[in-house]
Amino acid sequence: MYASFFGLQQEPFSIAPDPRYLYMSEHHREALAHLLYGIRGGGGFVLLTGEIGAGKTTVCRCFLEQIPEQCNFAYIFNPKLTVHELLKAVCEEFGVDAPSAGTPGVTVQDYVAPLNRFLLDAHAGGRNSVLVIDEAQNLSVDLLEQLRLLTNLETAERKLLQIVLIGQPELRDMLARPELEQLAQRVIARFHLQPLSESETAQYVLHRLRVAGLGSASPFDRKELQRIHRLSRGVPRRINLLCDRALLGAYAHGQSRVGREVVKKAAREVFDDAAQRAARRAADRGNQFRMLAWGTGMVVLAVAVGLAASAWQSGLLRRVAGAAAPAGASSANGQGAAALAAGAAAAVPEAAGFGAPTLDRLDVAYGWRTEQQALRVLSRGWGELLGGGDVCDEARRKQLICYRSTVSLALVQQLDRPGTLTLVNANNQRGHVLLLGVNDQLALLQTADGRIKVPLLSLAQVWRGEFTTFWRAPPGYLEQSPGSQSTAVAQMLSQQLPVPSGPDGGAASASAEASLRARIHAFQVTQALQPDGLIGPVTMMKLNRALGVDEPRLEVLR
């Protein structure tokens, strides 16, 4: 209804699952890594819990998509069953013939025996078997005990069935009961999915708007994104409900921006009063705390602002383009971001310990006009001084490869390397800055005038995810054919992912290639990457880090 009014191709906040809108926060990726690790643990239980709407189904879908091909898996989404009905459902999911539930004279053994034969045959064929049960908080104690007994099916070497339980927080309370202690001791991996942080909420909202076709400024400003986070408590499903109703309200009033009253009214319409009262009480407590700290904080703030203003006015923040780069600027011992600042020749000196000033608002005018200018400064962190041609072409000749993509801030943190961010304002004007460091609240940026810190919410207003960085390619990488690894690359990788050699020339080579792919796949799983067994740029960046290749890293902000 409102999509075209806001310049969107479709409504971005439907609660129906759509893989195009997938947003994996740091917590979601960590949860996925726990699940993928758990199914390789040789049996037992893996536990994933989270509040209603926290994204458990999102993680589960990603998990099911990444289960290795050599796995058989069964998925039970409605566990409100009797013991016989559950065992029958498990057999049906695995394709095992078993009697119908409720058939006179049928016992538990009539289901367990054929299931055990199936699991033994799968194990003999080199296949693992995984049972995933969603909404597991609905399992009765009897059903949980029966599931525990299923994990007793085993060979002399390993258990035959891995069970993944996904449910709401009360599932953890259930497993803490004394009568379920035996089951609790068989949980080999567990993870509780937390709500999104304030900055992640802003990223989530803007991500969905962009996927829906947003090409201009967001209809939500920073204050309203903060309000949405507070009212939704960072729960993705609640964020969707609130944002959808807020956009509808703004559309009904002919407003291109979503204001405070629209958001508050939307919250009253989609959330129950008890939840709103709880959110207001939490906000009131936060306000009281801030008021108590205000008196002392204002004194400190006045000193800090005075020093920062003095530093700015006295020319400490000089234009990079007009400053000479110091000789020998390079990355050493993993401190590349510090070297990058030195190479930029415009780093802000520590003024009485206050460091880079923190700005509430980020303007595109702070950045370089072109990405090429920003990339030349960035390349100094890799120890390269690139000339006036195309930066990426010149860097490639030095085995330094540009990686340019539209990413989330969470992926940037995972890659752990500085890069350029392309900023775009409401008038479609562009600027380019360097990201040097980040935490859960602030980003440390190198602008054309020096170092600054900005809140992540301010960054989200002008950054649409365009990110460019460099990575160091090993000798021979650029000569490899698509989808295969050259001998030089394989030799480099064998330092971290050793490949066994064999005496039979051609067969040994093919075997080594297959073994290398398997090891790459395993490495990708441990790094929460898409496990395709291929060496792409993201995998290479993570391998470089694992191998200790000398490349810049993001600074740790405290």
Side-chain angles (χ1 to χ4, degrees), residues 382 399-401 415 417 470-474 477 492-493 496 523 535 537-551 553:
W382 274 263
Q399 295 294 112
L400 199 61
I401 301 179
L415 294 177
R417 62 188 56 225
F470 295 108
W471 60 276
R472 183 76 64 185
Y477 180 89
M492 173 265 197
L493 294 177
Q496 178 72 14
F523 176 81
I535 303 180
V538 174
T539 298
M540 281 301 307
M541 282 186 263
K542 299 295 286 187
L543 279 168
N544 278 356
R545 184 70 71 233
L547 292 169
V549 174
D550 188 17
E551 292 185 306
R553 303 187 74 159

Side-chain angles (χ1 to χ4, degrees), residues 103 141 224 256 349 357 376 475 485 547:
T103 303
V141 172
E224 296 319 309
S256 61
R376 287 191 186 93
Q485 288 75 45
L547 292 169

